[in-house]
Amino acid sequence: MRAGEVVNIQVANGLDEETTVHWHGMHVPAKWDGGPHQVIAPGATWTPRFEVKQKAATFWYHSHLMGRTGAQVARGLAGLIIVDDEESADLGLPNEYGVDDIPLVVQDRRFARDGSFEYLTSMHDRMMGYKGDVILVNGTVGPYLEVARPRLRLRLLNGSNSRIYNFGFDDDRTFHVIGTDGSLLAAPVAARRLRLAPGERAEIVVELAAQSSVRLMSYPDAPRGGAPGMGMGGMMARMMRRMVGNDETFSILELRAGSFSRAVPPLPGRLTEVPRWQAAKAERTRRFELQMGMMGGMGGMGGMGGMMGRGRGGMGGMMGPGGGMMGMMGGPMRINGRAMDMDRIDVRVPLGAIEIWEIANPTPVSHPFHIHDIQFRILDRDGRPPRAIEAGLKDTVLVDPGETVRVIAEFGDYADPDNPYMYHCHILEHEDAGMMGQFVVTA
Ligand code: C2O
Ligand code: CU
Ligand code: CU
């Protein structure tokens, strides 16, 4: 899509079940948002129409059916959207689609014996999120890319239901992060690792020598700090990571460079202007606390130990008798004490308001918090400004255990008292289990 154009889309539901298609990250009228209220019946066609009011960035679309998002996305109902604008076209960044501008939709899947996708809904999957043991990149297992240019732009989408990736190259080389969910960064930022949670996107630029090869990897997740008393340091952090399932190392994509003359100009020093709403201008701060219900606490819930140890020998014992942590985290997923209810509007935002949303995560696992309608900036994490690699526009922010993150945004253009937008955890099993709420923008 090109910024400023009006798009007409026809979404024909050829399934024998209901679905929806949500334009993740895009600023569109609520009735065209494709959330749980815009159900497309089997055989029906939905025809949203909206103006592309975005900066150049990488977006995506996916099913958002109430209670069934995880199952439908796991079976394939997701895809990528690239938005271009004139400003970005003039930067000299790699932008030849499929040649040096490469979209990478990264997803993990489990396969059944007959080769079909297996979407399990065990208690473990529901609580920790569905994880697969096979990585698909653009639907391909074990992918490689033959590279004909010395400089590549990779548009990474974490399209997984719940897995957090910690990207890096197998020779630990430095790359440049140039974009976040909803915009380019103000300037390229050098990095060797990049965490990406479900729903998040990033654009990176990497340079290769002719006739060389290198692998893009995902390394074990590395959550920030943690609440005092939660014991997230050291062994406890490793145990949590293992229990959640973000402790694996995967090869994501092999890059095989052909022969070319290696002459790349320096990257531009300035990429774009990222809107900078001042905290002092915000009309209010709203607080959202992410909750995984408490059931029994440490040592309660006798039968849960075995489930926790699923395929991971020894975990049950390490976590103490009777299931311990897992017992603590059973029960419903909520935000501010309430599970998602399609008939309840949780928040009313006046049109044009600049607001700070403060997201607190007192649970022992990381949650990516996503807001529809707007793009925000991260103000701070536990009072500290965000790292440069996440200082662009965002619509999804990973909130680690014990962390409180403040984001700021302007709710402009579209008011509709009847059609709500969603905010939710983008671990799709958490969303489906109720960690979601609704807001309307009112004139
Ligand atoms: Cu990516 Cu509410 O969605
Ligand atoms: Cu969305
Ligand atoms: Cu969550």
Side-chain angles (χ1 to χ4, degrees):
M1 298 180 186
R2 288 200 65 85
E5 73 182 350
V6 172
V7 292
N8 292 284
I9 306 175
Q10 298 188 358
V11 184
N13 182 2
L15 307 171
D16 56 13
E17 59 188 276
E18 293 180 333
T19 193
T20 82
V21 176
H22 166 58
W23 320 106
H24 179 127
M26 300 197 69
H27 178 47
V28 304
K31 66 176 175 180
W32 301 131
D33 191 43
H37 294 270
Q38 286 87 43
V39 172
I40 314 169
T45 297
W46 180 57
T47 54
R49 169 193 168 83
F50 53 83
E51 184 184 338
V52 181
K53 284 179 176 283
Q54 311 293 150
K55 290 172 77 71
T58 306
F59 300 85
W60 66 305
Y61 57 91
H62 60 79
S63 155
H64 214 304
L65 190 66
M66 184 67 196
R68 297 266 302 148
T69 297
Q72 291 199 340
V73 171
R75 288 156 71 198
L77 293 185
L80 205 73
I81 297 172
I82 293 174
V83 172
D84 289 324
D85 65 12
E86 270 161 39
E87 179 192 57
S88 69
D90 289 343
L91 289 171
L93 292 170
N95 67 351
E96 202 173 327
Y97 181 81
V99 177
D100 60 7
D101 182 348
I102 312 291
L104 299 177
V105 179
V106 184
Q107 299 177 304
D108 58 331
R109 291 288 185 271
R110 289 209 289 271
F111 288 89
R113 277 170 173 266
D114 65 359
S116 63
F117 289 150
E118 186 174 70
Y119 183 65
L120 288 187
T121 50
S122 67
M123 257 308 240
H124 187 279
D125 278 351
R126 279 181 210 275
M127 277 189 281
M128 298 297 125
Y130 167 81
K131 302 227 171 34
D133 52 358
V134 176
I135 301 293
L136 302 184
V137 178
N138 303 346
T140 303
V141 177
Y144 64 90
L145 179 73
E146 285 173 352
V147 180
R149 304 267 171 90
R151 175 179 278 162
L152 278 186
R153 174 192 204 162
L154 303 176
R155 297 172 185 262
L156 291 159
L157 160 66
N158 182 345
S160 302
N161 283 34
S162 84
R163 183 176 292 285
I164 295 169
Y165 297 96
N166 188 10
F167 293 114
F169 290 92
D170 64 352
D171 60 358
D172 241 9
R173 72 178 55 199
T174 297
F175 53 89
H176 283 89
V177 182
I178 59 163
T180 49
D181 301 337
S183 75
L184 294 172
L185 290 170
V189 179
R192 283 189 301 184
R193 289 285 185 279
L194 174 71
R195 286 176 87 202
L196 216 56
E200 287 187 300
R201 292 86 67 207
E203 295 185 24
I204 67 173
V205 169
V206 60
E207 273 133 36
L208 288 102
Q211 313 283 5
S212 70
S213 94
V214 65
R215 271 177 197 279
L216 177 65
M217 307 290 293
S218 176
Y219 296 102
D221 191 29
R224 288 166 288 264
M230 205 174 270
M232 288 306 291
M235 192 175 84
M236 192 63 183
R238 284 198 300 279
M239 282 183 353
M240 282 310 302
R241 198 170 68 207
R242 194 161 176 211
M243 188 167 87
V244 174
N246 286 320
D247 58 335
E248 327 252 353
T249 298
F250 291 106
S251 170
I252 303 295
L253 175 69
E254 186 190 349
L255 300 174
R256 299 179 186 167
S259 47
F260 42 72
S261 57
R262 188 174 199 280
V264 287
L267 283 172
R270 298 291 304 168
L271 298 173
T272 193
E273 197 73 44
V274 181
R276 189 178 275 281
W277 302 283
Q278 296 303 314
K281 294 251 170 65
E283 284 165 43
R284 63 188 61 74
T285 296
R286 299 181 196 271
R287 186 178 165 86
F288 299 86
E289 190 177 300
L290 310 178
Q291 296 152 339
M292 303 169 84
M294 302 285 280
M295 291 168 44
M298 297 295 282
M301 299 303 293
M304 303 192 88
M307 177 188 62
M308 195 179 60
R310 182 185 59 85
R312 321 228 150 138
M315 283 295 287
M318 274 157 61
M319 297 300 288
M325 290 300 282
M326 286 297 274
M328 259 171 55
M329 288 182 296
M333 308 281 172
R334 297 186 160 115
I335 298 175
N336 292 343
R338 301 200 282 201
M340 166 73 177
D341 179 347
M342 284 181 68
D343 296 323
R344 184 191 68 232
I345 301 298
D346 298 280
V347 171
R348 290 168 201 278
V349 179
L351 180 65
I354 294 173
E355 296 200 349
I356 295 171
W357 286 25
E358 178 178 285
I359 307 122
N361 176 11
T363 79
V365 302
S366 304
H367 302 273
F369 189 83
H370 169 53
I371 309 174
H372 289 210
D373 179 31
I374 48 98
Q375 288 286 328
F376 55 74
R377 270 185 84 119
I378 301 173
L379 273 179
D380 44 39
R381 294 180 172 277
D382 288 337
R384 286 183 295 275
R387 293 174 59 205
I389 59 170
E390 53 179 13
L393 289 180
K394 300 269 301 159
D395 52 61
T396 306
V397 61
L398 185 58
V399 188
D400 276 333
E403 231 182 9
T404 297
V405 176
R406 295 195 311 154
V407 304
I408 188 167
E410 179 172 356
F411 294 76
D413 299 312
Y414 304 121
D416 183 340
D418 301 319
N419 290 292
Y421 295 106
M422 306 294 129
Y423 55 87
H424 57 90
C425 176
H426 221 287
I427 291 177
L428 300 182
E429 291 69 36
H430 292 179
E431 174 192 330
D432 283 341
M435 198 179 282
M436 175 156 66
Q438 310 194 95
F439 70 99
V440 290
V441 177
T442 55

